[in-house]
């Protein structure tokens, strides 16, 4: 969307994302992948993936097949692309055609991949995922035991990665972490010599025992704090600035917004800015959220509407918040994690909901 017409400007700092990748990759003796699902957590896979490839990233993950197909055009041929959901029934040929590697999550997906290998008369690369306790995706230990009882169970499949996913990595003291790591060690013993991967962003910060051969960060690349409650070692990668549409003076007895829930006391000036819940700005920020004007905090007053919301800008010089002026909703003054905490959610949801009506700028 044209910058001068857009209600808000979203700035993605590709340099910060590259710096974050370097910091994370430097924590491991092995390799570091990048997770691109949901359009690189809402920031734009088209721009983010090539930037990370330039930074030396050779392994990428998407959730869906179509995300993988799109990503194939964006990164060099020698980059491996894994699709976390594996092949939906009947799609394994697409994986082959676009040089994508499925993450095989259950016996049916494994059979599907083996069948294609038989048809093509060649070995096909894939990751094998184990469920080590999250009960979301991956082959269950009992299924793995039954499968591996047959000598030819992997015929046609060349495992290039074994992996699992941590349920509680953002809680460093949670007993699940150690339990999952042990189960992972038991299961991967069936695959001697195959590279292993367990750590998402938060998992990386659980220490070297969780690193194995390949790190799999998503959130931390995009500036979300992988260790909630501790200082964030990553750089903010996103800022969001909303445009002022209109400014009005209100006084005692006036109310602001739907439901007439915010009653004004004294004389106040309210700026209506052009971002609302249809842009991914959470309605739960009604009466709780903040914007910043040159570092000065201004509160969201009244309910967040679909396309706009009110800010109390009484303390701000009128010419600074005239129609067309920009105020910061997220960025250096107000991190994605702070916005998420106020909205009652996590930074992941804030980023992945960022709207399609913003003008996007890449640094
Ligand atoms: C989303 C995801 C990741 C990345 O997780 P972050 O917490 O964003 O770093 C890694 N592995 C799997 C299997 C995932 O689904």
């Amino acid at each position: 969307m044209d910058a001068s017409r857009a209600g808000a400007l979203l700035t993605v700092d590709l340099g910060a994302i590259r710096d974050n990748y370097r910091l994370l990759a430097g924590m491991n003796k092995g390799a570091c992948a990048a997770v691109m699902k949901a359009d690189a957590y809402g920031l734009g896979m088209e721009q983010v993936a090539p930037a990370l490839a330039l930074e030396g990233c050779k392994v990428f993950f998407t959730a869906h097949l179509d995300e993988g197909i799109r990503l194939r055009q964006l990164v060099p041929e020698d980059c491996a692309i894994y699709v976390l959901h594996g092949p939906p029934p009947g799609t394994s040929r697409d994986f082959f055609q676009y040089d994508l590697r499925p993450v095989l999550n259950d016996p049916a997906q494994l059979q599907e991949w083996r069948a294609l290998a038989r048809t093509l008369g060649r070995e096909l690369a894939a990751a094998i995922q184990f469920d080590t306790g999250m009960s979301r995706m991956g082959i269950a230990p009992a299924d793995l035991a039954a499968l591996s009882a047959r000598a030819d169970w992997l015929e046609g499949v060349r495992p290039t990665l074994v992996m699992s996913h941590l349920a509680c990595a953002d809680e460093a003291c949670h007993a699940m972490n150690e339990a999952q790591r042990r189960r992972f060690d038991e299961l991967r013993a069936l695959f001697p010599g195959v590279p292993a991967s367990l750590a998402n962003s938060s998992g990386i910060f659980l220490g070297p025992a969780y690193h194995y051969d390949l790190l799999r960060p998503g959130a931390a690349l995009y500036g979300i704090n992988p260790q909630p409650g501790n200082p964030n070692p990553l750089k903010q990668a996103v800022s969001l600035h909303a445009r002022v549409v209109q400014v009005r003076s209100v006084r005692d007895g006036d109310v602001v917004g739907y439901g007439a829930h915010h009653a004004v006391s004294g004389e106040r000036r309210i700026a209506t800015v052009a971002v609302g819940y249809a842009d991914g700005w959470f309605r739960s920020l009604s009466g709780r959220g903040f914007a910043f004007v040159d570092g000065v905090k201004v509160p969201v007053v009244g309910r967040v509407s679909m396309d706009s919301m009110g800010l109390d800008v009484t303390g701000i010089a009128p010419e600074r918040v005239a129609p067309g002026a920009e105020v910061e909703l997220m960025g250096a003054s107000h991190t994605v994690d702070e916005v998420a905490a106020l909205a009652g959610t996590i930074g992941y949801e804030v980023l992945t909901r960022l709207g399609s009506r913003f003008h996007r700028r890449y640094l």
Side-chain angles (χ1 to χ4, degrees):
M1 185 168 299
D2 187 84
S4 63
R5 300 179 190 173
L9 309 167
L10 183 79
T11 307
V12 178
D13 186 345
L14 295 173
I17 295 173
R18 288 176 67 161
D19 289 348
N20 290 342
Y21 177 82
R22 259 202 320 280
L23 185 142
L24 296 166
M27 293 175 68
N28 191 16
K29 293 194 293 289
C32 184
V35 178
M36 291 288 121
K37 54 199 195 192
D39 202 26
Y41 290 46
L43 305 194
M45 183 166 74
E46 232 99 61
Q47 291 78 14
V48 170
L52 288 174
L54 281 176
E55 203 55 55
C57 184
K58 292 267 177 239
V59 183
F60 293 87
F61 289 86
T62 66
H64 293 272
L65 169 57
D66 278 333
E67 293 174 334
I69 292 173
R70 199 152 67 79
L71 179 57
R72 187 77 274 174
Q73 321 302 319
L74 302 173
V75 295
E77 267 174 39
D78 64 341
C79 292
I81 300 174
Y82 289 99
V83 177
L84 290 164
H85 289 184
T91 63
S92 53
R93 268 191 182 274
D94 296 330
F95 280 76
F96 177 69
Q97 185 186 338
Y98 292 98
D99 190 19
L100 306 173
R101 298 179 182 181
V103 174
L104 302 175
N105 292 302
D106 70 9
Q109 291 188 342
L110 176 64
Q111 292 320 328
E112 170 126 9
W113 201 235
R114 281 184 62 188
L116 180 66
R118 233 177 357 257
T119 306
L120 297 174
R122 55 181 292 172
E123 281 211 319
L124 298 175
I128 314 249
Q129 176 155 230
F130 317 132
D131 176 27
T132 53
M134 187 176 178
S135 307
R136 185 178 72 167
M137 265 182 267
I139 301 176
D143 285 339
L144 191 64
L147 283 169
S148 61
R150 293 190 47 152
D152 67 346
W153 74 290
L154 277 177
E155 204 171 57
V157 177
R158 181 165 58 89
T160 49
L161 187 70
V162 288
M163 58 178 279
S164 189
H165 193 52
L166 297 166
C168 307
D170 57 338
E171 297 173 58
C173 296
H174 204 295
M176 273 292 277
N177 295 321
E178 172 75 5
Q180 286 195 267
R181 192 174 63 76
R182 289 210 178 144
R183 226 166 291 159
F184 186 58
D185 279 336
E186 285 162 25
L187 299 174
R188 80 188 186 92
L190 288 166
F191 298 83
V194 176
S197 176
L198 181 62
N200 67 334
S201 297
S202 297
I204 296 169
F205 291 85
L206 295 176
Y210 291 80
H211 290 177
Y212 297 94
D213 305 299
L214 182 71
L215 308 177
R216 288 196 321 270
L221 294 171
Y222 312 118
I224 291 170
N225 189 357
Q227 301 172 285
N230 293 297
N232 188 352
L234 286 320
K235 292 186 180 171
Q236 289 298 301
V238 184
S239 59
L240 177 62
H241 291 82
R243 279 242 165 75
V244 176
V245 180
Q246 187 178 5
V247 188
R248 69 182 59 252
S249 294
V250 290
R251 55 163 42 89
D252 272 335
D254 289 339
V255 293
V256 180
Y258 279 120
H261 274 292
H262 180 82
V264 175
S265 53
E267 295 222 1
R268 317 296 298 172
R269 274 185 313 118
I270 308 293
T272 303
V273 299
V275 166
Y277 60 78
D279 301 294
W281 200 248
F282 287 74
R283 191 167 176 272
S284 56
L285 291 167
S286 299
R288 307 173 47 86
F290 292 96
F292 284 79
V293 183
D294 302 329
V296 178
K297 200 171 180 176
V298 295
V300 173
V301 288
R303 287 202 181 141
V304 174
S305 295
M306 183 187 290
D307 312 294
S308 65
M309 64 180 171
L311 300 171
D312 186 331
V313 294
T314 307
I316 308 293
E319 59 277 14
R320 175 62 188 81
V321 285
E326 293 169 20
V327 303
E328 182 184 332
L329 296 186
M330 191 161 70
S333 313
H334 201 28
T335 67
V336 55
D337 293 305
E338 288 166 356
V339 171
L342 287 170
T345 181
I346 54 176
Y348 297 67
E349 195 181 7
V350 172
L351 291 189
T352 54
R353 297 226 315 194
L354 291 174
S356 53
R357 295 191 291 187
F358 302 148
H359 173 75
R360 289 180 176 232
R361 201 161 49 121
Y362 290 86
L363 304 181

